[in-house]
Amino acid sequence: MSYPLAKCSRPCLVMISIFLLVSCNSSKKIDKDFLYFQTERDNIGIIELRERIIQINDQLSITVLSKTFNQQEAALFNMPSVGLNQSGPSSGTSTNNAGYVVGIDGSIDFPILGAVRAAGLTKEQLQQYLVEKLTPYVKEPSVSIRSLDFNINVLGEIKSPGLKTFPTDRVTIIDAISASGDLTDNGKRKDVMVIRREGDKNIYMEVDLTSGALFQSPAYQLQPNDIVYVGANVKKLRGLYTGSNPGAAFRTIGTALSVAISLLNLYIRVK
């Protein structure tokens, strides 16, 4: 009575084997959505990073030197300056260690010179202005300016999310993603959002990491306090919706089928 059952199990065994082979082959297909800069690479052109504009609340390190051997005159402008500007809390404080903070009135409180307008200028423009104003006090003055607080928030499907601080003024979205350890496998590479505050409103920009066109996007070069958000792809969302991991479920089914095949083979040999 058991022989017909064993005989009927052979077609089932063949069908199960074919199903597993097809499933394994389909799972090995390359998902090109994970590849960066796939398209529009011929239109990238020359990438020029702009010098950013100094903004309110920026923190600047300003060092004054003389091009001569005598640095005594310049040293006066590098000494810590404690307290606020005479105009009140709207102006920034300035210390040689913490840097010069640009107040809400757009100025910094500089030794001897007092309130100096900084917001709205590039570092080069502020540098030229300070050199001009310092000439009566310092022989052949030289001014060096750098930012101390270029912060970017990177959130979402990223391996190391959080606040990232950069020592340079020219930061790109590639720098931010690299500093965060790249996207996770569940991150949407075709729809990364950059949120930027401009005036009294937020600007939302979408970036496609699979396209070379991102190098020409206004979101490519980041601004201080930008937010880079990587959303979850369909695979991740489906897993959250079903309350399970589809990949894990498939592996479980495959294991169960393998066990079933082994049992069938054992059953046939015994009979």
Side-chain angles (χ1 to χ4, degrees), residues 230-264:
V230 180
N233 58 22
V234 175
K235 178 182 177 182
K236 173 67 176 289
L237 295 176
R238 283 176 178 171
L240 293 174
Y241 178 75
T242 59
S244 62
N245 187 329
F250 181 80
R251 287 192 295 271
T252 302
I253 294 172
T255 302
L257 288 175
S258 298
V259 172
I261 291 172
S262 300
L263 291 174
L264 285 172

Side-chain angles (χ1 to χ4, degrees), residues 11-32:
C12 296
L13 179 62
V14 174
M15 292 179 63
I16 292 173
S17 300
I18 293 174
F19 172 76
L20 289 176
L21 287 173
V22 172
S23 300
C24 292
N25 288 334
S26 63
S27 65
K28 293 181 179 179
K29 291 181 179 179
I30 296 176
D31 188 349
K32 292 186 178 181

Side-chain angles (χ1 to χ4, degrees), residues 48-55 58-62 121-127 144-152 165-173 175 196 220-226:
E48 295 184 0
L49 298 181
R50 303 176 302 277
E51 185 174 2
R52 77 176 190 87
I53 304 299
I54 298 172
Q55 301 175 11
D58 278 359
Q59 193 171 5
L60 307 174
S61 170
I62 302 178
L121 302 178
T122 64
K123 286 196 308 179
E124 183 178 357
Q125 290 171 333
L126 178 58
Q127 184 177 1
S144 174
I145 304 175
R146 64 184 181 89
S147 295
L148 296 176
D149 61 345
F150 201 115
N151 297 321
I152 302 294
T165 301
F166 298 88
T168 178
D169 290 338
R170 301 184 182 184
V171 179
T172 69
I173 190 171
D175 296 327
R196 178 172 300 163
Y220 174 67
Q221 183 175 351
L222 299 177
Q223 299 296 324
N225 303 314
D226 277 358

Side-chain angles (χ1 to χ4, degrees), residues 169-187:
D169 290 338
R170 301 184 182 184
V171 179
T172 69
I173 190 171
I174 302 301
D175 296 327
I177 291 174
S178 178
S180 303
D182 203 359
L183 278 65
T184 66
D185 291 344
N186 293 321

